[in-house]
Amino acid sequence: MWFDTQGLLPRVEKDHLIVLIASKTHCSGCELMEHRTLGDSRVQEEFTRFQWHVVRRTDPSWSEIIWYPTVVALSDSHQWLRHEEGFLPPYEFIPFLRLALTGKLLRTGRYQEAISVLDETRQTFAFSGRIPECLYYQGVASHLAGRLRDVARLWRLLRENYPESVWAHKASLAWEPPATS
């Protein structure tokens, strides 16, 4: 973890996840995050569906945080999965959570689950700015699952539809699966 969470996080059951939300008093982005995003019924359903435990901290004294709100996603063992600074509307916050979940699934060898989560995210949140990253990691999960033709298809789709994204550049290898006999 990039900052000390000692005593701040609850013990959670295996495969449950934690989202830590750090905010500041009188912060307009923090207030929007609290009311518009965290109060959204789709976000609440996401917390329940994927067993997220929400921990809120107002005015934390962590020197590592430079902008608020800051959202940190952690595994059940408090392993850092990802973080984001600034306000996230619901249609960007849910893909953020799913990409964090994907990190946990990839680390534990649950590649098919990761592929399914990312595929559903791409379909449900087609206009999210996180779709290129979803395509990239869906390709990663497919590769790890031994589905090389899917990697080629996904990364081609990524390069064709999001050519200026950093994720397309990462997938810019001349990636083609080996010929099958």
Side-chain angles (χ1 to χ4, degrees):
M1 187 64 208
W2 51 274
F3 63 87
D4 183 21
T5 58
Q6 188 70 23
L8 293 177
L9 301 175
R11 294 183 142 245
V12 297
E13 294 178 39
K14 184 169 173 40
D15 288 334
H16 287 217
L17 300 165
I18 301 167
V19 62
L20 173 62
I21 301 164
S23 61
K24 279 283 198 196
T25 305
H26 308 298
C27 163
S28 60
C30 300
E31 290 175 18
L32 269 175
M33 188 78 173
E34 182 66 33
H35 299 291
R36 184 169 162 212
T37 302
L38 300 178
D40 186 278
S41 62
R42 296 166 297 176
V43 171
Q44 293 297 315
E45 289 170 17
E46 197 76 10
F47 289 154
T48 301
R49 178 180 176 198
F50 292 109
Q51 302 172 320
W52 285 96
H53 292 269
V54 181
V55 177
R56 293 173 170 90
R57 292 291 180 254
T58 303
D59 297 320
S61 59
W62 300 312
S63 61
E64 296 85 358
I65 296 178
I66 58 170
W67 194 248
Y68 294 89
T70 292
V71 181
V72 182
L74 302 132
S75 70
D76 52 357
S77 61
H78 300 175
Q79 177 185 27
W80 177 85
L81 298 171
R82 67 187 301 121
H83 86 280
E84 185 78 33
E85 295 172 340
F87 168 70
L88 293 170
Y91 62 86
E92 293 295 349
F93 185 68
I94 293 171
F96 165 86
L97 292 173
R98 291 190 182 177
L99 282 161
L101 170 61
T102 296
K104 169 75 173 175
L105 295 171
L106 291 175
R107 285 179 178 95
T108 56
R110 294 157 57 190
Y111 309 130
Q112 187 53 51
E113 286 179 68
I115 291 166
S116 296
V117 165
L118 292 169
D119 193 49
E120 179 188 346
T121 304
R122 288 180 35 230
Q123 291 175 30
T124 307
F125 299 95
F127 297 107
S128 168
R130 298 184 190 280
I131 297 305
E133 186 176 1
C134 288
L135 279 164
Y136 180 80
Y137 279 108
Q138 195 172 359
V140 169
S142 295
H143 185 276
L144 294 170
R147 296 170 51 180
L148 301 182
R149 291 199 179 282
D150 288 346
V151 178
R153 177 184 55 80
L154 290 161
W155 284 4
R156 188 175 308 112
L157 183 65
L158 171 58
R159 291 189 310 270
E160 289 171 0
N161 291 306
Y162 306 96
E164 298 302 318
S165 78
V166 66
W167 303 102
H169 296 295
K170 289 175 178 258
S172 65
L173 304 169
W175 180 256
E176 294 297 329
T180 57
S181 312

